[in-house]
Amino acid sequence: RADYQYTGDSQTTFNESSTANGQPSYFEIDAYGLLNLRLGVQNDKWIATLYADNVMDERAEVLRDNAAYALRTTVNRPRTVGVKLSVKF
């Protein structure tokens, strides 16, 4: 399975002249897209899935603010690859 998640351009507040702690709190956040992949096999007793999240290793800002008297930027998770094993009882 493959899925793609797109998040469009956004702003941190509706008011361009908004401030927090005397600093600007209006920021533009760029659009970004994330591609995730899953490949699995199963039988009556178990399921094994190989996964890769954020395949293109997109480093996107998801939040920017001045709430702590300093500019903070939060980004999405980097590429994550792994195996999930499940056993049925």
Side-chain angles (χ1 to χ4, degrees):
R1 177 184 93 192
D3 64 77
Y4 182 78
Q5 174 187 342
Y6 176 80
T7 302
D9 292 334
S10 62
Q11 297 81 33
T12 55
T13 184
F14 294 111
N15 183 350
E16 290 186 32
S17 62
S18 175
T19 62
N21 304 315
Q23 300 295 319
S25 63
Y26 176 86
F27 300 101
E28 301 265 340
I29 305 291
D30 292 334
Y32 63 94
L34 301 175
L35 174 64
N36 304 308
L37 300 174
R38 302 278 183 279
L39 177 65
V41 293
Q42 70 181 50
N43 68 18
D44 293 339
K45 297 186 181 195
W46 54 265
I47 301 170
T49 306
L50 174 64
Y51 67 88
D53 292 336
N54 191 8
V55 173
M56 305 306 288
D57 203 21
E58 175 75 26
R59 301 297 172 111
E61 286 185 10
V62 295
L63 174 67
R64 189 185 310 168
D65 68 18
N66 274 323
Y69 294 97
L71 181 61
R72 272 190 317 196
T73 301
T74 303
V75 297
N76 64 308
R77 285 184 4 183
R79 179 186 304 126
T80 305
V81 177
V83 174
K84 178 180 175 184
L85 301 172
S86 301
V87 176
K88 299 177 187 176
F89 294 93

Coordinates of all heavy atoms in Angstrom, one line a residue:
R1 N 0.8 -1.2 0.0 CA 0.0 0.0 0.0 C 0.9 1.2 0.0 O 1.9 1.3 0.7 CB -0.9 0.0 1.2 CG -1.8 1.2 1.4 CD -2.6 1.2 2.6 NE -1.8 1.9 3.6 CZ -2.1 1.9 4.9 NH1 -3.0 1.1 5.4 NH2 -1.4 2.6 5.8
A2 N 0.5 2.2 -0.7 CA 1.2 3.5 -0.7 C 0.1 4.6 -0.4 O -1.0 4.5 -0.9 CB 1.8 3.8 -2.1
D3 N 0.5 5.6 0.4 CA -0.4 6.7 0.6 C 0.4 8.0 0.6 O 1.6 8.0 0.9 CB -1.2 6.6 1.8 CG -0.4 6.6 3.1 OD1 0.0 7.6 3.5 OD2 -0.2 5.5 3.7
Y4 N -0.2 9.1 0.1 CA 0.4 10.4 0.0 C -0.4 11.3 0.8 O -1.7 11.4 0.6 CB 0.6 10.8 -1.4 CG 1.3 12.1 -1.6 CD1 2.7 12.2 -1.5 CD2 0.6 13.2 -1.9 CE1 3.3 13.4 -1.7 CE2 1.2 14.5 -2.0 CZ 2.6 14.5 -1.9 OH 3.2 15.7 -2.1
Q5 N 0.2 12.1 1.7 CA -0.6 13.1 2.5 C 0.0 14.5 2.1 O 1.2 14.7 2.2 CB -0.3 12.8 3.9 CG -0.9 13.9 4.9 CD -0.5 13.7 6.3 OE1 -0.1 12.6 6.7 NE2 -0.7 14.7 7.1
Y6 N -0.9 15.4 1.7 CA -0.5 16.7 1.3 C -1.1 17.7 2.3 O -2.3 17.6 2.6 CB -1.0 17.1 -0.1 CG -0.7 18.5 -0.5 CD1 0.5 18.8 -1.0 CD2 -1.7 19.5 -0.4 CE1 0.8 20.2 -1.3 CE2 -1.5 20.8 -0.8 CZ -0.2 21.1 -1.2 OH 0.1 22.4 -1.6
T7 N -0.3 18.6 2.8 CA -0.7 19.7 3.6 C -0.4 21.0 2.9 O 0.8 21.3 2.6 CB 0.0 19.6 5.0 OG1 -0.3 18.4 5.6 CG2 -0.5 20.8 5.9
G8 N -1.4 21.8 2.7 CA -1.2 23.1 2.0 C -0.6 24.2 2.8 O -0.4 24.0 4.0
D9 N -0.3 25.3 2.1 CA 0.2 26.5 2.8 C -0.7 26.8 4.0 O -1.9 26.7 3.9 CB 0.3 27.7 1.9 CG 1.3 27.5 0.8 OD1 2.3 26.8 1.0 OD2 1.2 28.1 -0.2
S10 N -0.1 27.3 5.1 CA -0.9 27.8 6.2 C -0.2 28.9 6.9 O 0.9 29.3 6.6 CB -1.1 26.6 7.2 OG 0.1 26.2 7.7
Q11 N -1.0 29.5 7.8 CA -0.5 30.6 8.7 C -0.7 30.3 10.1 O -1.6 29.5 10.5 CB -1.2 31.9 8.4 CG -1.1 32.5 7.0 CD -2.0 31.8 6.0 OE1 -3.1 31.4 6.3 NE2 -1.5 31.6 4.8
T12 N 0.2 30.8 11.0 CA 0.1 30.5 12.4 C -1.0 31.2 13.1 O -1.4 30.9 14.2 CB 1.4 30.8 13.1 OG1 1.8 32.1 12.9 CG2 2.5 29.9 12.6
T13 N -1.5 32.3 12.5 CA -2.6 33.1 13.1 C -3.3 33.8 12.0 O -2.8 33.9 10.9 CB -2.1 34.1 14.2 OG1 -3.2 34.7 14.8 CG2 -1.2 35.1 13.6
F14 N -4.5 34.3 12.2 CA -5.3 35.0 11.2 C -4.9 36.5 11.1 O -5.2 37.1 10.1 CB -6.8 34.9 11.5 CG -7.3 33.5 11.4 CD1 -7.8 32.8 12.5 CD2 -7.4 32.8 10.1 CE1 -8.2 31.5 12.4 CE2 -7.8 31.5 10.0 CZ -8.3 30.9 11.1
N15 N -4.3 37.0 12.1 CA -4.0 38.4 12.2 C -2.5 38.7 11.9 O -1.7 38.3 12.7 CB -4.4 38.9 13.6 CG -4.2 40.4 13.7 OD1 -3.6 41.1 12.9 ND2 -4.7 41.0 14.8
E16 N -2.2 39.3 10.8 CA -0.8 39.5 10.4 C 0.0 40.4 11.4 O 1.2 40.4 11.5 CB -0.7 40.1 9.0 CG -1.0 39.1 8.0 CD -0.8 39.6 6.6 OE1 0.2 40.4 6.4 OE2 -1.5 39.2 5.7
S17 N -0.7 41.2 12.2 CA -0.1 42.1 13.2 C -0.1 41.6 14.6 O 0.3 42.2 15.5 CB -0.8 43.5 13.1 OG -2.1 43.4 13.6
S18 N -0.5 40.3 14.7 CA -0.5 39.6 16.0 C 0.9 39.5 16.6 O 1.9 39.3 15.9 CB -1.1 38.2 15.8 OG -1.1 37.5 17.0
T19 N 1.0 39.6 17.9 CA 2.3 39.5 18.6 C 2.1 38.5 19.8 O 1.0 38.3 20.3 CB 2.8 40.8 19.1 OG1 1.9 41.4 20.1 CG2 3.0 41.8 18.0
A20 N 3.2 38.0 20.3 CA 3.3 37.2 21.5 C 4.6 37.6 22.2 O 5.7 37.6 21.6 CB 3.4 35.7 21.1
N21 N 4.5 38.1 23.4 CA 5.6 38.5 24.2 C 6.4 39.6 23.5 O 7.6 39.7 23.5 CB 6.6 37.4 24.5 CG 5.9 36.2 25.2 OD1 5.1 36.5 26.2 ND2 6.1 35.0 24.8
G22 N 5.7 40.5 22.7 CA 6.3 41.6 22.0 C 6.9 41.2 20.7 O 7.5 42.1 20.1
Q23 N 6.9 40.0 20.3 CA 7.5 39.5 19.1 C 6.4 39.1 18.1 O 5.3 38.7 18.5 CB 8.4 38.3 19.4 CG 9.5 38.6 20.3 CD 10.5 39.6 19.7 OE1 10.8 39.5 18.5 NE2 10.9 40.5 20.5
P24 N 6.6 39.2 16.8 CA 5.6 38.8 15.8 C 5.2 37.3 16.0 O 6.1 36.5 16.4 CB 6.3 38.9 14.5 CG 7.5 39.8 14.7 CD 7.9 39.6 16.2
S25 N 3.9 37.0 15.9 CA 3.5 35.6 16.0 C 2.8 35.2 14.7 O 2.2 34.1 14.7 CB 2.5 35.5 17.2 OG 1.4 36.3 17.0
Y26 N 2.8 36.0 13.7 CA 2.3 35.5 12.4 C 3.4 35.0 11.5 O 4.4 35.7 11.3 CB 1.6 36.7 11.7 CG 1.1 36.4 10.3 CD1 -0.2 35.8 10.2 CD2 1.8 36.6 9.2 CE1 -0.7 35.5 8.9 CE2 1.4 36.3 7.9 CZ 0.1 35.8 7.8 OH -0.4 35.4 6.6
F27 N 3.3 33.8 11.1 CA 4.3 33.2 10.2 C 3.6 32.4 9.1 O 2.6 31.8 9.4 CB 5.2 32.2 11.0 CG 6.0 32.9 12.1 CD1 5.5 32.7 13.4 CD2 7.1 33.6 11.9 CE1 6.2 33.4 14.5 CE2 7.8 34.2 12.9 CZ 7.3 34.1 14.2
E28 N 4.2 32.3 8.0 CA 3.7 31.5 6.9 C 4.4 30.2 6.9 O 5.6 30.1 7.1 CB 4.1 32.2 5.5 CG 3.5 33.6 5.3 CD 2.2 33.6 4.6 OE1 2.0 32.6 3.9 OE2 1.5 34.6 4.7
I29 N 3.6 29.1 6.8 CA 4.2 27.8 6.8 C 4.0 27.2 5.4 O 2.9 27.2 4.9 CB 3.4 26.9 7.8 CG1 3.5 27.5 9.2 CG2 4.0 25.4 7.8 CD1 4.8 27.5 9.9
D30 N 5.1 26.7 4.8 CA 5.0 26.2 3.4 C 4.3 24.9 3.3 O 4.2 24.1 4.3 CB 6.4 26.0 2.8 CG 7.1 27.3 2.6 OD1 6.4 28.4 2.4 OD2 8.4 27.3 2.6
A31 N 3.7 24.6 2.1 CA 3.0 23.3 1.9 C 4.1 22.2 1.8 O 5.3 22.4 1.6 CB 2.3 23.4 0.5
Y32 N 3.6 21.0 2.1 CA 4.5 19.8 2.0 C 3.7 18.6 1.8 O 2.5 18.5 2.0 CB 5.4 19.7 3.3 CG 4.6 19.4 4.6 CD1 4.4 18.1 5.0 CD2 4.1 20.4 5.3 CE1 3.7 17.9 6.2 CE2 3.4 20.2 6.5 CZ 3.2 18.9 6.9 OH 2.5 18.7 8.0
G33 N 4.4 17.5 1.3 CA 3.7 16.2 1.1 C 4.6 15.1 1.7 O 5.8 15.2 1.7
L34 N 3.9 14.1 2.1 CA 4.6 12.9 2.7 C 4.1 11.6 2.0 O 2.9 11.4 1.9 CB 4.3 12.8 4.2 CG 4.7 14.0 5.1 CD1 4.2 13.8 6.5 CD2 6.2 14.3 5.0
L35 N 5.1 10.8 1.6 CA 4.8 9.5 1.0 C 5.1 8.4 2.0 O 6.2 8.4 2.6 CB 5.6 9.3 -0.2 CG 5.5 8.0 -0.9 CD1 4.1 7.7 -1.5 CD2 6.6 7.9 -2.1
N36 N 4.1 7.5 2.2 CA 4.3 6.4 3.1 C 4.1 5.1 2.4 O 3.2 5.0 1.5 CB 3.3 6.5 4.3 CG 3.5 7.8 5.1 OD1 4.6 8.2 5.4 ND2 2.4 8.5 5.2
L37 N 4.8 4.0 2.7 CA 4.7 2.7 2.0 C 4.5 1.6 3.0 O 5.1 1.7 4.1 CB 5.9 2.5 1.1 CG 6.2 3.4 0.0 CD1 7.6 3.1 -0.6 CD2 5.1 3.5 -1.0
R38 N 3.8 0.6 2.7 CA 3.5 -0.6 3.5 C 3.6 -1.8 2.6 O 3.0 -1.8 1.5 CB 2.2 -0.6 4.2 CG 1.9 0.6 5.1 CD 2.6 0.4 6.5 NE 2.3 1.4 7.4 CZ 3.0 2.6 7.4 NH1 3.9 2.8 6.6 NH2 2.8 3.5 8.4
L39 N 4.2 -2.9 3.1 CA 4.2 -4.2 2.4 C 4.1 -5.2 3.4 O 4.9 -5.3 4.3 CB 5.5 -4.3 1.5 CG 5.6 -5.7 0.8 CD1 4.5 -5.8 -0.3 CD2 7.0 -5.8 0.1
G40 N 3.1 -6.1 3.3 CA 2.9 -7.1 4.4 C 2.6 -8.5 3.8 O 2.1 -8.7 2.7
V41 N 2.8 -9.5 4.7 CA 2.4 -10.9 4.4 C 1.7 -11.4 5.7 O 2.0 -10.9 6.8 CB 3.6 -11.8 4.0 CG1 4.1 -11.4 2.7 CG2 4.7 -11.8 5.1
Q42 N 0.9 -12.3 5.6 CA 0.2 -12.9 6.7 C -0.2 -14.3 6.5 O -0.3 -14.8 5.3 CB -1.0 -12.0 7.1 CG -2.2 -12.1 6.2 CD -3.4 -11.2 6.6 OE1 -3.2 -10.1 6.9 NE2 -4.5 -11.8 6.6
N43 N -0.5 -15.0 7.6 CA -1.1 -16.3 7.5 C -2.1 -16.4 8.6 O -2.5 -15.3 9.2 CB -0.1 -17.5 7.5 CG 0.7 -17.6 8.8 OD1 0.2 -17.1 9.9 ND2 1.8 -18.3 8.8
D44 N -2.6 -17.6 9.0 CA -3.6 -17.7 10.1 C -3.1 -17.3 11.5 O -3.9 -17.0 12.3 CB -4.1 -19.1 10.1 CG -4.9 -19.5 8.9 OD1 -5.4 -18.6 8.2 OD2 -5.0 -20.7 8.6
K45 N -1.8 -17.3 11.7 CA -1.3 -17.0 13.0 C -0.5 -15.7 13.2 O -0.3 -15.3 14.3 CB -0.4 -18.2 13.5 CG -1.2 -19.5 13.6 CD -0.3 -20.6 14.1 CE -1.2 -21.9 14.1 NZ -0.7 -22.9 14.9
W46 N 0.0 -15.1 12.1 CA 0.8 -14.0 12.3 C 0.7 -13.0 11.1 O 0.3 -13.4 10.0 CB 2.3 -14.3 12.5 CG 2.9 -15.2 11.4 CD1 3.0 -16.6 11.5 CD2 3.4 -14.9 10.2 NE1 3.5 -17.1 10.4 CE2 3.8 -16.1 9.5 CE3 3.6 -13.7 9.5 CZ2 4.4 -16.1 8.3 CZ3 4.2 -13.7 8.2 CH2 4.5 -14.9 7.6
I47 N 1.2 -11.8 11.3 CA 1.2 -10.8 10.2 C 2.6 -10.1 10.3 O 3.0 -9.7 11.4 CB 0.1 -9.7 10.4 CG1 -1.3 -10.3 10.4 CG2 0.2 -8.6 9.3 CD1 -2.4 -9.4 10.8
A48 N 3.3 -9.9 9.2 CA 4.5 -9.2 9.2 C 4.4 -8.1 8.2 O 4.0 -8.3 7.0 CB 5.7 -10.1 8.8
T49 N 4.8 -6.8 8.6 CA 4.6 -5.7 7.7 C 5.9 -4.9 7.7 O 6.4 -4.5 8.8 CB 3.5 -4.8 8.2 OG1 2.3 -5.5 8.3 CG2 3.3 -3.6 7.2
L50 N 6.4 -4.6 6.5 CA 7.6 -3.7 6.4 C 7.0 -2.4 6.0 O 6.1 -2.3 5.2 CB 8.5 -4.2 5.2 CG 9.6 -3.3 4.8 CD1 10.6 -3.2 6.0 CD2 10.3 -3.9 3.6
Y51 N 7.5 -1.3 6.7 CA 6.9 0.0 6.5 C 8.0 1.1 6.3 O 9.1 0.9 6.8 CB 6.0 0.4 7.6 CG 6.6 0.6 8.9 CD1 7.1 1.9 9.3 CD2 6.7 -0.4 9.8 CE1 7.7 2.1 10.5 CE2 7.3 -0.2 11.1 CZ 7.8 1.0 11.4 OH 8.4 1.2 12.6
A52 N 7.7 2.1 5.6 CA 8.6 3.3 5.4 C 7.7 4.5 5.5 O 6.8 4.6 4.6 CB 9.4 3.2 4.2
D53 N 7.8 5.3 6.5 CA 7.1 6.6 6.6 C 8.0 7.7 6.2 O 9.2 7.7 6.4 CB 6.6 6.8 8.0 CG 5.5 5.8 8.4 OD1 4.9 5.2 7.5 OD2 5.4 5.5 9.6
N54 N 7.4 8.7 5.5 CA 8.1 9.9 5.0 C 9.3 9.4 4.1 O 10.5 9.7 4.3 CB 8.6 10.8 6.1 CG 9.2 12.1 5.7 OD1 9.1 12.4 4.5 ND2 9.7 12.8 6.6
V55 N 9.0 8.6 3.1 CA 10.0 8.0 2.2 C 10.9 9.0 1.6 O 12.1 8.7 1.5 CB 9.2 7.2 1.1 CG1 10.2 6.7 0.1 CG2 8.4 6.0 1.7
M56 N 10.5 10.1 1.2 CA 11.4 11.1 0.6 C 12.1 12.0 1.6 O 12.9 12.9 1.3 CB 10.5 12.1 -0.3 CG 9.7 11.3 -1.3 SD 10.7 10.2 -2.4 CE 11.6 11.4 -3.3
D57 N 12.0 11.7 2.9 CA 12.6 12.4 4.0 C 12.4 13.9 4.0 O 13.3 14.7 4.2 CB 14.1 12.1 4.0 CG 14.8 12.3 5.4 OD1 14.0 12.2 6.4 OD2 16.0 12.4 5.5
E58 N 11.2 14.3 3.7 CA 10.8 15.7 3.7 C 10.9 16.3 5.1 O 10.4 15.7 6.1 CB 9.3 15.8 3.2 CG 8.7 17.1 3.3 CD 9.2 18.0 2.1 OE1 9.6 17.5 1.1 OE2 9.2 19.2 2.3
R59 N 11.6 17.4 5.2 CA 11.7 18.1 6.5 C 10.9 19.3 6.4 O 11.3 20.4 5.9 CB 13.2 18.5 6.7 CG 14.1 17.3 6.8 CD 13.8 16.4 8.0 NE 14.6 15.2 7.9 CZ 15.5 14.8 8.7 NH1 15.8 15.6 9.7 NH2 16.2 13.7 8.5
A60 N 9.6 19.2 6.9 CA 8.7 20.3 6.8 C 8.4 20.9 8.1 O 8.3 20.2 9.1 CB 7.4 19.7 6.2
E61 N 8.2 22.2 8.1 CA 7.8 22.9 9.3 C 6.3 22.6 9.5 O 5.5 22.7 8.6 CB 7.9 24.4 9.2 CG 9.3 24.9 9.3 CD 9.3 26.5 9.3 OE1 8.3 27.1 9.4 OE2 10.5 27.0 9.1
V62 N 5.9 22.2 10.7 CA 4.5 22.0 11.1 C 4.0 23.1 12.1 O 2.8 23.3 12.2 CB 4.2 20.6 11.6 CG1 4.5 19.6 10.5 CG2 5.1 20.3 12.8
L63 N 5.0 23.8 12.7 CA 4.6 24.8 13.7 C 5.8 25.8 13.9 O 6.9 25.4 13.9 CB 4.3 24.2 15.0 CG 4.0 25.2 16.2 CD1 2.7 25.9 15.9 CD2 3.9 24.4 17.5
R64 N 5.5 27.1 14.0 CA 6.5 28.1 14.3 C 5.8 29.1 15.3 O 4.7 29.5 15.0 CB 7.0 28.8 13.1 CG 8.2 29.7 13.4 CD 8.6 30.5 12.2 NE 8.8 29.7 11.0 CZ 9.0 30.3 9.8 NH1 9.0 31.6 9.7 NH2 9.1 29.5 8.7
D65 N 6.4 29.4 16.4 CA 5.8 30.4 17.3 C 6.9 31.1 18.1 O 8.1 30.7 18.2 CB 4.8 29.7 18.2 CG 5.3 28.7 19.2 OD1 6.5 28.7 19.5 OD2 4.5 27.9 19.7
N66 N 6.5 32.1 18.9 CA 7.3 32.9 19.8 C 6.8 32.7 21.2 O 7.1 33.6 22.0 CB 7.3 34.4 19.4 CG 8.3 34.7 18.4 OD1 9.4 34.2 18.4 ND2 7.9 35.6 17.5
A67 N 6.1 31.7 21.5 CA 5.5 31.5 22.8 C 6.4 31.5 24.0 O 6.1 31.8 25.1 CB 4.6 30.3 22.9
A68 N 7.7 31.1 23.8 CA 8.6 31.0 25.0 C 9.7 32.0 24.9 O 10.8 31.8 25.3 CB 9.2 29.6 25.0
Y69 N 9.4 33.2 24.4 CA 10.3 34.3 24.3 C 11.5 34.0 23.3 O 12.5 34.7 23.4 CB 10.9 34.7 25.7 CG 9.9 35.3 26.6 CD1 9.3 34.5 27.5 CD2 9.5 36.6 26.5 CE1 8.3 35.0 28.4 CE2 8.6 37.2 27.4 CZ 8.0 36.3 28.3 OH 7.0 36.9 29.1
A70 N 11.3 33.0 22.6 CA 12.3 32.7 21.5 C 11.6 32.0 20.4 O 10.5 31.3 20.6 CB 13.4 31.7 22.1
L71 N 12.0 32.2 19.2 CA 11.4 31.5 18.0 C 11.6 30.0 18.1 O 12.7 29.5 18.3 CB 12.0 32.1 16.8 CG 11.4 31.5 15.5 CD1 10.0 31.8 15.4 CD2 12.2 32.0 14.3
R72 N 10.5 29.3 18.1 CA 10.5 27.8 18.1 C 9.9 27.3 16.8 O 8.9 27.8 16.3 CB 9.5 27.3 19.2 CG 10.1 27.2 20.5 CD 9.2 26.4 21.5 NE 7.8 26.8 21.4 CZ 6.9 26.5 22.3 NH1 7.3 25.8 23.4 NH2 5.7 26.9 22.2
T73 N 10.6 26.3 16.2 CA 10.1 25.7 15.0 C 10.0 24.2 15.3 O 10.9 23.6 15.8 CB 11.0 25.9 13.8 OG1 11.1 27.4 13.7 CG2 10.5 25.3 12.6
T74 N 8.8 23.6 14.9 CA 8.6 22.2 15.1 C 8.6 21.6 13.7 O 7.8 22.1 12.8 CB 7.3 21.9 15.8 OG1 7.4 22.5 17.1 CG2 7.1 20.4 16.0
V75 N 9.3 20.5 13.4 CA 9.2 19.8 12.1 C 8.6 18.4 12.3 O 8.5 17.9 13.4 CB 10.7 19.7 11.5 CG1 11.2 21.1 11.2 CG2 11.6 18.9 12.4
N76 N 8.2 17.9 11.1 CA 7.7 16.5 11.1 C 8.8 15.5 11.4 O 9.9 15.8 11.4 CB 7.0 16.3 9.8 CG 8.0 16.3 8.6 OD1 8.8 17.2 8.5 ND2 8.1 15.2 7.8
R77 N 8.3 14.3 11.6 CA 9.3 13.2 11.8 C 10.1 12.9 10.6 O 9.6 13.0 9.5 CB 8.6 11.9 12.2 CG 8.0 11.9 13.6 CD 7.4 10.6 14.0 NE 7.5 9.5 13.0 CZ 6.9 8.3 13.2 NH1 6.2 8.1 14.3 NH2 7.0 7.4 12.3
P78 N 11.4 12.5 10.7 CA 12.2 12.2 9.5 C 11.8 10.8 9.0 O 10.9 10.2 9.6 CB 13.6 12.1 10.1 CG 13.4 11.8 11.5 CD 12.1 12.5 11.9
R79 N 12.4 10.4 7.9 CA 12.1 9.1 7.4 C 12.2 8.0 8.5 O 13.2 8.0 9.3 CB 13.1 8.7 6.3 CG 12.9 7.4 5.7 CD 14.0 7.0 4.6 NE 14.0 8.0 3.6 CZ 15.2 8.6 3.3 NH1 16.3 8.3 3.9 NH2 15.2 9.5 2.3
T80 N 11.3 7.1 8.5 CA 11.2 6.1 9.6 C 11.0 4.8 8.8 O 10.0 4.7 8.1 CB 10.1 6.3 10.6 OG1 10.3 7.7 11.2 CG2 10.2 5.3 11.7
V81 N 11.8 3.8 9.0 CA 11.7 2.5 8.4 C 11.7 1.4 9.5 O 12.4 1.5 10.4 CB 12.8 2.2 7.4 CG1 12.7 0.9 6.8 CG2 12.9 3.3 6.3
G82 N 10.8 0.4 9.3 CA 10.8 -0.6 10.3 C 10.0 -1.8 9.9 O 9.5 -1.9 8.8
V83 N 9.8 -2.8 10.8 CA 9.1 -4.0 10.6 C 8.1 -4.1 11.8 O 8.5 -3.9 13.0 CB 10.0 -5.2 10.6 CG1 9.2 -6.5 10.5 CG2 10.9 -5.1 9.4
K84 N 6.9 -4.4 11.5 CA 5.9 -4.7 12.5 C 5.5 -6.1 12.5 O 5.1 -6.6 11.4 CB 4.6 -3.8 12.3 CG 3.5 -4.0 13.3 CD 2.4 -3.1 13.0 CE 1.2 -3.4 13.9 NZ 0.0 -2.6 13.6
L85 N 5.5 -6.8 13.6 CA 5.1 -8.2 13.7 C 3.9 -8.4 14.6 O 4.0 -7.8 15.7 CB 6.3 -9.1 14.2 CG 7.5 -9.0 13.3 CD1 8.7 -9.8 14.0 CD2 7.3 -9.7 12.0
S86 N 2.9 -9.1 14.2 CA 1.7 -9.3 15.1 C 1.5 -10.8 15.1 O 1.6 -11.5 14.1 CB 0.5 -8.6 14.5 OG 0.8 -7.2 14.4
V87 N 1.0 -11.3 16.3 CA 0.7 -12.7 16.4 C -0.8 -12.7 16.8 O -1.2 -12.0 17.7 CB 1.6 -13.4 17.5 CG1 1.1 -14.8 17.7 CG2 3.0 -13.3 17.1
K88 N -1.5 -13.6 16.2 CA -3.0 -13.8 16.5 C -3.1 -15.0 17.5 O -2.5 -16.0 17.4 CB -3.7 -14.2 15.3 CG -3.7 -13.1 14.2 CD -4.4 -13.6 13.0 CE -4.3 -12.6 11.8 NZ -4.9 -13.1 10.6
F89 N -3.9 -14.7 18.6 CA -4.1 -15.7 19.6 C -5.4 -16.4 19.4 O -6.4 -15.9 18.9 CB -4.1 -15.1 21.0 CG -2.8 -14.6 21.4 CD1 -2.4 -13.2 21.2 CD2 -1.9 -15.4 22.0 CE1 -1.2 -12.7 21.6 CE2 -0.6 -14.9 22.4 CZ -0.3 -13.6 22.2

